[in-house]
Amino acid sequence: MARNGYIPEMRVSRGIGIILVTLGHSEPIRSVFPLLFSVIYAFHMPLFFFLSGFFSLKDRQARSLSEWIRVTGRSLPGLIIPYICVSLLFSLLKYFVPHLAVRPVVPTRLFFDILVFPAQNPARFLWFLYVIIILRALTPLLAAANPYFIIAALLIPQVFEPDIPLFGTSLILHYGMFYCLGMLVSTVQEQFLALLKKQWLPPAALLFFAAGYILFVKTGWFLLPLSNALWGIIFTLSVCFCYSRFLPRKILETAGTYSFSLYLLQYFFIFPVYLLLARSISLPGPWIVPCTFAAGLAGPLFMIFYVFPHSRVLSLLLSGNEKMPARQQ
């Protein structure tokens, strides 16, 4: 492990994760490449929650109300500000093209959709950020509790899948499992990282993931999605540790470094490109997917490297950083 707690392989895995997120958001991948879409969604969001929990050490240090206020006051605004701003900006975009939007904006409901019912947010892709904000705020409480009890309790919603849209409760209960697992694993970090370096782990994890995925397609057994998500996480992480020399590390580390901004901004580029290619040019779906995928990566990176360094306001509102440097270590 590198000094100052920086783990390059984990940054690479975050890069792989955000590339999968962008590919999963590309249009119209769900209808054109349904198998690829299904495989990506089997584990890519659990991977991000696991990594968020793994690196939540600073948020766990609050031992009193005053410390909690200090910790959250330092970390949460960088999440809340872009959540609100991106939600409003994307809502404005959809408001002016309602005939092209699957879920047009209802102005009278906008406040509640953004703040109370995140699954109904016009920028629906921001549900992840909403859930992370809640989990980050709850982290000191989660850290103080027995982790095995918390994880055991969170197994229940994996089975019954309650539908509680208020404050994203269903999403919090479902993905909180992976966040808490990341927190738990970080307490035995050295042993966990040593395990990820075992050469037999990537093929074994891939085998279990593939078998579980096929079995779920055929049987629909309710615990298999949880198993597949866990094996997908292990496979991604172990590949980054075992086969790092075969990966495009600089590209993946860059994507991992700016994964938050890529996630926040990608739909502003995917959406217009999709409308242009599908509605105006009528390009076939298999050709549109790589175009929207490329737009979802290239557009945000252009903003990060060439716009944000010159505009503190835009960087703060759309990325949560007061100023985005041209390059980060």
Side-chain angles (χ1 to χ4, degrees):
M1 183 174 70
R3 290 181 297 178
N4 301 323
Y6 175 68
I7 307 173
E9 293 82 3
M10 288 295 199
R11 184 67 59 84
V12 169
S13 69
R14 192 182 294 272
I16 292 175
I18 194 60
I19 287 174
L20 291 176
V21 167
T22 308
L23 183 57
H25 285 170
S26 301
E27 294 288 353
I29 188 172
R30 187 169 193 165
S31 59
V32 175
F33 303 114
L35 177 60
L36 177 60
F37 178 85
S38 179
V39 169
I40 290 172
Y41 273 78
F43 72 94
H44 76 315
M45 294 315 297
L47 171 65
F48 268 105
F49 281 101
F50 178 88
L51 290 172
S52 297
F54 188 87
F55 289 109
S56 64
L57 180 60
K58 291 182 180 179
D59 297 301
R60 298 179 223 172
Q61 296 172 348
R63 293 292 182 265
S64 65
L65 179 60
S66 60
E67 288 184 355
W68 178 83
I69 293 174
R70 178 178 56 82
V71 170
T72 56
R74 186 174 60 240
S75 64
L76 291 188
L79 302 177
I80 295 173
I81 290 173
Y83 175 76
I84 299 296
C85 291
V86 172
S87 294
L88 293 175
L89 191 57
F90 199 76
S91 298
L92 189 64
L93 175 64
K94 295 182 74 172
Y95 181 76
F96 284 105
V97 286
H99 59 294
L100 299 177
V102 176
R103 293 176 298 107
V105 176
V106 180
T108 56
R109 217 174 55 206
L110 186 59
F111 174 82
F112 291 99
D113 287 346
I114 292 175
L115 298 181
V116 183
F117 299 102
Q120 299 175 17
N121 187 334
R124 191 174 183 178
F125 60 95
L126 292 181
W127 69 265
F128 166 78
L129 181 52
Y130 188 97
V131 173
I132 283 293
I133 290 170
I134 301 296
L135 290 174
R136 291 277 288 272
L138 294 175
T139 295
L141 294 177
L142 296 172
N146 185 309
Y148 299 101
F149 174 80
I150 294 293
I151 290 171
L154 289 173
L155 278 172
I156 298 174
Q158 305 294 322
V159 176
F160 295 103
E161 298 183 353
D163 183 16
I164 311 174
L166 184 67
F167 297 116
T169 302
S170 300
L171 296 168
I172 293 168
L173 291 174
H174 179 75
Y175 289 100
M177 157 73 73
F178 305 102
Y179 186 88
C180 291
L181 279 174
M183 291 177 59
L184 177 61
V185 166
S186 70
T187 63
V188 289
Q189 183 177 128
E190 290 187 9
Q191 298 92 319
F192 181 65
L193 298 183
L195 174 64
L196 293 177
K197 296 175 183 177
K198 302 294 184 183
Q199 295 294 318
W200 54 265
L201 188 55
L206 180 59
L207 178 63
F208 279 112
F209 174 82
Y213 180 85
I214 294 171
L215 190 61
F216 177 70
V217 170
K218 292 185 175 295
T219 67
W221 193 44
F222 60 90
L223 281 179
L224 284 172
L226 173 60
S227 172
N228 294 340
L230 294 175
W231 284 118
I233 292 170
I234 294 172
F235 172 71
T236 305
L237 295 177
S238 61
V239 162
C240 294
F241 278 85
C242 293
Y243 306 135
S244 178
R245 63 187 182 277
F246 301 114
L247 300 174
R249 285 189 56 130
K250 294 188 81 171
I251 295 174
L252 293 176
E253 280 199 75
T254 299
T257 298
Y258 301 109
S259 59
F260 185 56
S261 295
L262 285 167
Y263 153 73
L264 287 170
L265 298 172
Q266 58 186 230
Y267 256 114
F268 289 103
F269 298 92
I270 289 174
F271 187 54
V273 169
Y274 172 63
L275 294 180
L276 172 66
L277 298 180
R279 305 297 177 91
S280 300
I281 303 178
S282 298
L283 201 66
W287 289 94
I288 298 176
V289 170
C291 293
T292 54
F293 172 63
L297 290 176
L301 287 174
F302 176 83
M303 295 288 292
I304 291 165
F305 291 131
Y306 298 105
V307 177
F308 287 166
H310 305 290
S311 176
R312 301 177 70 176
V313 173
L314 277 179
S315 183
L316 175 63
L317 297 180
L318 300 182
S319 73
N321 291 326
E322 188 173 350
K323 187 172 183 181
M324 181 75 71
R327 292 284 177 179
Q328 291 183 4
Q329 297 299 319

Short mmCIF file of all heavy atoms in Angstrom, two decimals, residues 251-272:
data_model
loop_
_atom_site.label_atom_id
_atom_site.label_comp_id
_atom_site.label_asym_id
_atom_site.label_seq_id
_atom_site.Cartn_x
_atom_site.Cartn_y
_atom_site.Cartn_z
N ILE A 251 -5.04 5.56 -17.65
CA ILE A 251 -6.40 5.91 -18.05
C ILE A 251 -7.38 5.61 -16.93
O ILE A 251 -8.23 6.43 -16.58
CB ILE A 251 -6.80 5.14 -19.33
CG1 ILE A 251 -5.93 5.60 -20.51
CG2 ILE A 251 -8.28 5.33 -19.63
CD1 ILE A 251 -6.16 4.81 -21.77
N LEU A 252 -7.24 4.43 -16.33
CA LEU A 252 -8.17 4.01 -15.29
C LEU A 252 -7.98 4.84 -14.01
O LEU A 252 -8.95 5.16 -13.33
CB LEU A 252 -8.00 2.52 -15.00
CG LEU A 252 -8.42 1.58 -16.14
CD1 LEU A 252 -8.11 0.13 -15.79
CD2 LEU A 252 -9.90 1.73 -16.45
N GLU A 253 -6.73 5.16 -13.68
CA GLU A 253 -6.50 6.00 -12.50
C GLU A 253 -7.07 7.40 -12.70
O GLU A 253 -7.60 8.00 -11.76
CB GLU A 253 -5.02 6.06 -12.16
CG GLU A 253 -4.50 4.85 -11.41
CD GLU A 253 -3.19 5.12 -10.70
OE1 GLU A 253 -3.20 5.80 -9.66
OE2 GLU A 253 -2.16 4.65 -11.20
N THR A 254 -6.94 7.92 -13.91
CA THR A 254 -7.52 9.24 -14.19
C THR A 254 -9.04 9.18 -14.06
O THR A 254 -9.66 10.06 -13.43
CB THR A 254 -7.14 9.70 -15.61
OG1 THR A 254 -5.72 9.82 -15.70
CG2 THR A 254 -7.78 11.04 -15.93
N ALA A 255 -9.64 8.14 -14.62
CA ALA A 255 -11.10 7.98 -14.50
C ALA A 255 -11.50 7.81 -13.04
O ALA A 255 -12.51 8.37 -12.60
CB ALA A 255 -11.56 6.78 -15.32
N GLY A 256 -10.70 7.07 -12.28
CA GLY A 256 -10.99 6.89 -10.86
C GLY A 256 -10.84 8.17 -10.07
O GLY A 256 -11.63 8.45 -9.16
N THR A 257 -9.83 8.96 -10.39
CA THR A 257 -9.61 10.24 -9.70
C THR A 257 -10.79 11.18 -9.89
O THR A 257 -11.22 11.86 -8.95
CB THR A 257 -8.33 10.91 -10.23
OG1 THR A 257 -7.22 10.05 -9.97
CG2 THR A 257 -8.10 12.26 -9.58
N TYR A 258 -11.33 11.23 -11.09
CA TYR A 258 -12.41 12.16 -11.39
C TYR A 258 -13.76 11.45 -11.52
O TYR A 258 -14.67 11.97 -12.17
CB TYR A 258 -12.09 12.90 -12.70
CG TYR A 258 -10.80 13.66 -12.64
CD1 TYR A 258 -9.68 13.24 -13.35
CD2 TYR A 258 -10.68 14.80 -11.84
CE1 TYR A 258 -8.48 13.93 -13.27
CE2 TYR A 258 -9.49 15.50 -11.77
CZ TYR A 258 -8.39 15.06 -12.49
OH TYR A 258 -7.21 15.76 -12.41
N SER A 259 -13.89 10.30 -10.88
CA SER A 259 -15.11 9.51 -11.02
C SER A 259 -16.36 10.28 -10.58
O SER A 259 -17.42 10.17 -11.19
CB SER A 259 -15.00 8.19 -10.24
OG SER A 259 -14.77 8.44 -8.87
N PHE A 260 -16.23 11.07 -9.52
CA PHE A 260 -17.40 11.81 -9.01
C PHE A 260 -17.89 12.82 -10.04
O PHE A 260 -19.09 12.91 -10.32
CB PHE A 260 -17.03 12.50 -7.70
CG PHE A 260 -18.18 13.21 -7.03
CD1 PHE A 260 -19.34 12.52 -6.72
CD2 PHE A 260 -18.10 14.56 -6.72
CE1 PHE A 260 -20.41 13.16 -6.10
CE2 PHE A 260 -19.16 15.20 -6.10
CZ PHE A 260 -20.31 14.51 -5.79
N SER A 261 -16.98 13.58 -10.62
CA SER A 261 -17.36 14.57 -11.64
C SER A 261 -17.87 13.88 -12.91
O SER A 261 -18.82 14.37 -13.55
CB SER A 261 -16.17 15.48 -11.97
OG SER A 261 -15.81 16.24 -10.84
N LEU A 262 -17.27 12.78 -13.29
CA LEU A 262 -17.74 12.03 -14.45
C LEU A 262 -19.18 11.57 -14.25
O LEU A 262 -20.02 11.67 -15.16
CB LEU A 262 -16.84 10.82 -14.70
CG LEU A 262 -15.47 11.09 -15.33
CD1 LEU A 262 -14.57 9.87 -15.22
CD2 LEU A 262 -15.62 11.50 -16.78
N TYR A 263 -19.45 11.09 -13.06
CA TYR A 263 -20.80 10.63 -12.74
C TYR A 263 -21.81 11.78 -12.77
O TYR A 263 -22.91 11.65 -13.32
CB TYR A 263 -20.76 9.95 -11.37
CG TYR A 263 -22.05 9.98 -10.60
CD1 TYR A 263 -23.12 9.17 -10.96
CD2 TYR A 263 -22.19 10.79 -9.47
CE1 TYR A 263 -24.31 9.19 -10.24
CE2 TYR A 263 -23.37 10.82 -8.75
CZ TYR A 263 -24.42 10.01 -9.13
OH TYR A 263 -25.57 10.04 -8.41
N LEU A 264 -21.43 12.93 -12.21
CA LEU A 264 -22.36 14.06 -12.14
C LEU A 264 -22.67 14.66 -13.50
O LEU A 264 -23.79 15.11 -13.75
CB LEU A 264 -21.76 15.15 -11.24
CG LEU A 264 -21.75 14.89 -9.73
CD1 LEU A 264 -20.90 15.95 -9.03
CD2 LEU A 264 -23.16 14.88 -9.17
N LEU A 265 -21.69 14.67 -14.39
CA LEU A 265 -21.81 15.44 -15.62
C LEU A 265 -22.19 14.63 -16.86
O LEU A 265 -22.60 15.21 -17.87
CB LEU A 265 -20.49 16.18 -15.90
CG LEU A 265 -20.05 17.20 -14.86
CD1 LEU A 265 -18.64 17.69 -15.18
CD2 LEU A 265 -21.02 18.37 -14.80
N GLN A 266 -22.03 13.31 -16.80
CA GLN A 266 -22.10 12.53 -18.04
C GLN A 266 -23.43 12.63 -18.76
O GLN A 266 -23.47 12.67 -20.00
CB GLN A 266 -21.75 11.06 -17.77
CG GLN A 266 -22.62 10.38 -16.76
CD GLN A 266 -22.10 8.98 -16.44
OE1 GLN A 266 -22.86 8.04 -16.46
NE2 GLN A 266 -20.82 8.85 -16.15
N TYR A 267 -24.55 12.72 -18.04
CA TYR A 267 -25.85 12.76 -18.72
C TYR A 267 -26.07 14.06 -19.50
O TYR A 267 -26.87 14.09 -20.44
CB TYR A 267 -26.99 12.55 -17.72
CG TYR A 267 -27.57 11.16 -17.79
CD1 TYR A 267 -27.45 10.28 -16.72
CD2 TYR A 267 -28.24 10.72 -18.93
CE1 TYR A 267 -27.98 9.00 -16.77
CE2 TYR A 267 -28.77 9.44 -19.00
CZ TYR A 267 -28.64 8.59 -17.91
OH TYR A 267 -29.17 7.33 -17.98
N PHE A 268 -25.38 15.12 -19.13
CA PHE A 268 -25.50 16.37 -19.88
C PHE A 268 -24.92 16.22 -21.29
O PHE A 268 -25.22 17.02 -22.17
CB PHE A 268 -24.79 17.50 -19.14
CG PHE A 268 -25.49 17.93 -17.89
CD1 PHE A 268 -25.03 17.54 -16.65
CD2 PHE A 268 -26.64 18.70 -17.96
CE1 PHE A 268 -25.68 17.92 -15.49
CE2 PHE A 268 -27.31 19.10 -16.80
CZ PHE A 268 -26.82 18.70 -15.56
N PHE A 269 -24.10 15.21 -21.48
CA PHE A 269 -23.51 14.95 -22.79
C PHE A 269 -24.14 13.73 -23.47
O PHE A 269 -24.34 13.72 -24.68
CB PHE A 269 -22.00 14.77 -22.65
CG PHE A 269 -21.31 15.99 -22.11
CD1 PHE A 269 -21.09 16.13 -20.75
CD2 PHE A 269 -20.91 17.01 -22.96
CE1 PHE A 269 -20.47 17.27 -20.24
CE2 PHE A 269 -20.29 18.15 -22.46
CZ PHE A 269 -20.08 18.28 -21.10
N ILE A 270 -24.49 12.73 -22.67
CA ILE A 270 -25.13 11.54 -23.23
C ILE A 270 -26.50 11.90 -23.80
O ILE A 270 -26.85 11.50 -24.93
CB ILE A 270 -25.27 10.45 -22.15
CG1 ILE A 270 -23.90 9.86 -21.80
CG2 ILE A 270 -26.22 9.34 -22.60
CD1 ILE A 270 -23.93 8.88 -20.63
N PHE A 271 -27.29 12.65 -23.05
CA PHE A 271 -28.66 12.98 -23.45
C PHE A 271 -28.72 13.74 -24.78
O PHE A 271 -29.44 13.32 -25.71
CB PHE A 271 -29.33 13.78 -22.31
CG PHE A 271 -30.78 14.04 -22.50
CD1 PHE A 271 -31.67 13.01 -22.75
CD2 PHE A 271 -31.28 15.34 -22.42
CE1 PHE A 271 -33.02 13.26 -22.91
CE2 PHE A 271 -32.64 15.60 -22.58
CZ PHE A 271 -33.50 14.56 -22.83
N PRO A 272 -27.99 14.84 -24.96
CA PRO A 272 -28.06 15.55 -26.25
C PRO A 272 -27.54 14.73 -27.43
O PRO A 272 -28.11 14.78 -28.52
CB PRO A 272 -27.19 16.80 -26.02
CG PRO A 272 -27.11 16.97 -24.55
CD PRO A 272 -27.16 15.58 -24.00
#
